[in-house]
Every structure is written in C-alpha cells, then in structure tokens.
C-alpha cells in the first residue's frame, strides 16, 4: 500500500493527489487547536528539508465536524494521526474517533521533534489508546532513540497493530550571512534524502525485533527507494517530502516500484518483502556450513 506521510499532503487542497494513494494520512490532530511554531517554519538544506511546523492543526472538535466529513468524501481510506502532550490526550482522541466508521486506522504520533513538552512513554500512550479504541493502531516512532527495537517491542506488547517508521530527526540550519538559525524556533525536523539510511536501519531493526506490519518512510523519492524499504521489512510505504516537489510522485513511484520488482524477476513488489533479511540469513548459513565442514 502507498500512503502519504502525515503532514506532507493536504488532502482537501490537493484531493487528486490524495486519491492517487491507497490511504490518506491526516496531519497530526491534537485535543485543542494549535497555530504551531513561529515562522520561518520550513528550510531547504543540501540533504533534505527542515520543518518546525509544531503540529499546527484545527484541534479534534473542528477536525471531526469540518475536516473529517470532507476527507471521507475523497473515497480513500482515512488514517488519522493523533498527537498530544500526555497520555490522556491520545486516549481521549482515540475514543472520539472510535465511532467514526470513516476512520480506517489511527497513527499515534509519539515522536514529534517540534513540540517542547516531551510526551509520556510510547508504551503508556499505546496502552491507553488501545483501551480507548478498536481501530487498528499504528505507533509512529522516532529513530532518535538509543534502542528503537526496545521501543518497538514495548509498543507491540502494549497493543499496537503496526509501526510507522520513521519520524523526522532534529536538525539545525544557519543563515550563511548572520550565522543565526533560519527557523523561527531554532531547530526543526530533518526529512528527505538524508533520512533514508536511517529509515532503512530502523525498519530493519524493528522488523527483526517484532515482525510487525510496518509503514516505512523517510527520504523516499523513487520506486527503488520504496522497494528498499520493503526489502528490509516494510509492508507499506509512505511518501513525505517528495510530495512538496512532485505531486505526481504517487503514480510515478508506483510505476517505478513495479518496474524495479519486474527487473528482479518478481511478479509483484510484495515478493521483495524482507528479502534483505533472507540474504543475511543465507550468507550466515553458508558460513555455518563452511565452519561445520
Ligand atoms: C512539513 C512536514 C510536516 C510534518 N508533519 C507531521 C505531523 O504532523 N505528524 C507526523 O507524525 N509527522 C509529520 N511529519 C513527518 C513525516 O510524516 C515523515 O515522517 C518524515 O517527513 C519522513 O519522511 P520523508 O523523508 O519522506 O519526508 C512532517 C514532515 C514534514 C516535512
């Protein structure tokens, strides 16, 4: 399945792009409306994009009355990204989404680098959210933790159905002339090409640790990038920063993905699922065989 990464596509201003995906993921919704951080909130770097949006969103009340009905009219499954500042925020929003048949899944954003207050632990948030809703729950994790496998296992034990990997990682850009930060709040989340090796490592590690379904994202620009994420264990792939430069990316990446799979003699790109791990195993098996001779 090909999705957008949360916050990287406005389904209401670009409905055709949203319709070209297999599911649309909303910008993270919080309990109360948020204006987000002070401008400047977006900056280009040599290796990707920095953003410090700070979870600007209409808040859950307005989201439910205004945004959700319009998003549902798109005709694609809707995943709602949920954020907050403490565990109860997540649980409250999940319980309010639970009765909405038009919501296919909930992504718990337990990893935003652009909000000051650290959220409670991922495990606590997932457990409380699990009690609040029957919807599929995807825990979106940060790669900027000492041991992402441990966080993934905790999310799994707490009732998550899948993982979304990865969120952005903190970065800083200085103005060349003044040598002061370009972004209003100083630092922001780095996305785009620089994130790809980090995303590949996170997906590979969490696949090995949990075998859970994973939405892989981080620096995907081409079908081959998407196939690499699938090869390390992603069931689904999300497009983020690439959508700002290329709104046609969903159709292009899909076509490139099929071509990249066909070039490897596969009928479908799903045949590439987790192959990177098989090669590691068979290389190990060969070594074992040799050592046992
Ligand atoms: C402008 C912008 C806004 C974002 N907003 C959110 C958000 O609201 N919630 C969230 O979970 N991730 C958010 N992200 C992170 C993306 O969903 C994604 O995890 C990240 O950008 C990595 O993918 P990419 O390299 O393909 O962009 C945002 C990213 C960008 C660039």
């Amino acid at each position: 399945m090909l999705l957008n990464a949360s916050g990287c596509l406005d389904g209401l201003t670009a409905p055709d792009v949203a319709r070209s995906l297999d599911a649309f993921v909303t910008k993270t919704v919080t309990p109360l409306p948020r204006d987000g951080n002070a401008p400047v909130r977006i900056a280009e770097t040599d290796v990707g994009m920095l953003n410090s949006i700070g979870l600007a969103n209409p808040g859950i009340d307005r989201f439910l009355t205004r945004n959700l009905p319009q998003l549902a009219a798109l005709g694609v499954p809707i995943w709602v990204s949920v954020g907050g500042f403490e565990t109860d925020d997540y649980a409250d929003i999940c319980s309010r989404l639970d009765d909405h048949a038009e919501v296919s899944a909930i992504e718990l954003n337990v990893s935003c680098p652009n909000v000051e207050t650290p959220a409670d632990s991922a495990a606590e948030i997932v457990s409380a959210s699990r009690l609040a809703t029957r919807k599929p729950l995807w825990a979106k994790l940060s790669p900027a933790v000492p041991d992402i496998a441990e966080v993934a296992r905790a999310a799994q034990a707490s009732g998550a159905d899948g993982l979304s990997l990865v969120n952005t990682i903190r970065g800083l850009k200085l103005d060349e002339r003044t040598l002061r930060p370009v972004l209003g709040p100083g630092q922001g989340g780095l996305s785009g090409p620089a994130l790809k090796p980090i995303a590949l490592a996170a997906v590979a590690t969490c696949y090995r640790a949990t075998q859970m379904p994973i939405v892989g994202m981080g620096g995907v620009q081409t079908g081959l990038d998407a196939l690499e994420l699938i090869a390390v264990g992603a069931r689904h792939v999300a497009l983020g920063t690439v959508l700002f430069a290329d709104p046609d990316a969903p159709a292009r990446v899909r076509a490139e993905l099929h071509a990249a799979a066909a070039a490897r003699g596969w009928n479908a790109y799903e045949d590439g699922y987790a192959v990177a791990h098989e090669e590691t195993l068979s290389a190990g098996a060969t070594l074992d065989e040799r050592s046992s001779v």
Side-chain angles (χ1 to χ4, degrees):
M1 209 160 67
L2 196 61
L3 308 92
N4 63 294
S6 173
C8 297
L9 178 67
D10 182 342
L12 299 181
T13 54
D16 291 342
V17 183
R19 276 191 214 103
S20 68
L21 297 158
D22 298 306
F24 173 76
V25 185
T26 71
K27 168 108 192 122
T28 297
V29 183
T30 54
L32 296 174
R34 285 175 59 84
D35 292 335
N37 291 323
V40 175
R41 307 203 286 196
I42 300 258
E44 294 283 334
T45 78
D46 298 338
V47 292
M49 181 172 158
L50 278 177
N51 90 84
S52 58
I53 307 287
L55 300 184
N57 79 96
I60 186 65
D61 288 343
R62 216 156 133 221
F63 174 81
L64 288 177
T65 52
R66 201 197 54 177
N67 298 41
L68 187 56
Q70 293 181 56
L71 289 172
L74 289 171
V76 287
I78 304 295
W79 290 29
V80 179
S81 168
V82 170
F85 301 92
E86 47 191 71
T87 299
D88 285 350
D89 292 345
Y90 290 84
D92 290 348
I93 298 183
C94 284
S95 70
R96 295 190 61 188
L97 291 171
D98 194 51
D99 283 340
H100 287 268
E102 60 274 44
V103 176
S104 303
I106 294 174
E107 188 175 80
L108 299 170
N109 178 2
V110 295
S111 49
C112 184
N114 289 325
V115 288
E116 280 296 317
T117 327
D120 292 337
S121 83
E124 235 179 271
I125 293 168
V126 175
S127 298
S129 303
R130 181 70 292 162
L131 292 174
T133 182
R134 296 154 292 180
K135 306 259 184 217
L137 283 179
W138 295 72
K140 183 162 178 184
L141 306 185
S142 165
V145 290
D147 184 359
I148 197 168
E150 190 185 317
V151 185
R153 279 193 219 98
Q156 183 174 38
S158 306
D161 299 289
L163 302 171
S164 295
L165 302 168
V166 291
N167 211 322
T168 54
I169 197 161
R170 275 224 181 167
L172 171 63
K173 177 176 177 165
L174 298 183
D175 181 284
E176 275 178 25
R177 198 177 52 84
T178 65
L179 296 182
R180 301 293 192 281
V182 168
L183 294 177
Q187 303 185 358
L190 180 65
S191 63
L195 216 49
K196 188 180 131 182
I198 295 165
L200 285 170
V203 172
T205 301
C206 294
Y207 168 82
R208 277 203 217 99
T210 67
Q211 311 269 304
M212 289 175 89
I214 293 171
V215 179
M217 73 194 90
V220 175
Q221 292 184 293
T222 66
L224 184 55
D225 294 334
L227 192 59
E228 287 185 49
L229 281 169
I230 291 166
V232 291
R235 280 276 176 212
H236 313 293
V237 174
L239 304 178
T241 304
V242 69
L243 290 170
F244 292 96
D246 179 12
D248 296 328
R252 177 180 57 76
V253 168
R254 215 189 288 275
E256 290 170 357
L257 183 53
H258 288 300
R264 284 158 182 78
W266 295 330
N267 292 324
Y269 62 80
E270 285 89 347
D271 293 351
Y273 177 61
V275 292
H277 300 279
E278 285 167 23
E279 279 166 31
T280 311
L281 285 180
S282 61
T286 313
L287 282 177
D288 284 351
E289 278 160 26
R290 278 201 204 123
S291 61
S292 64
V293 171

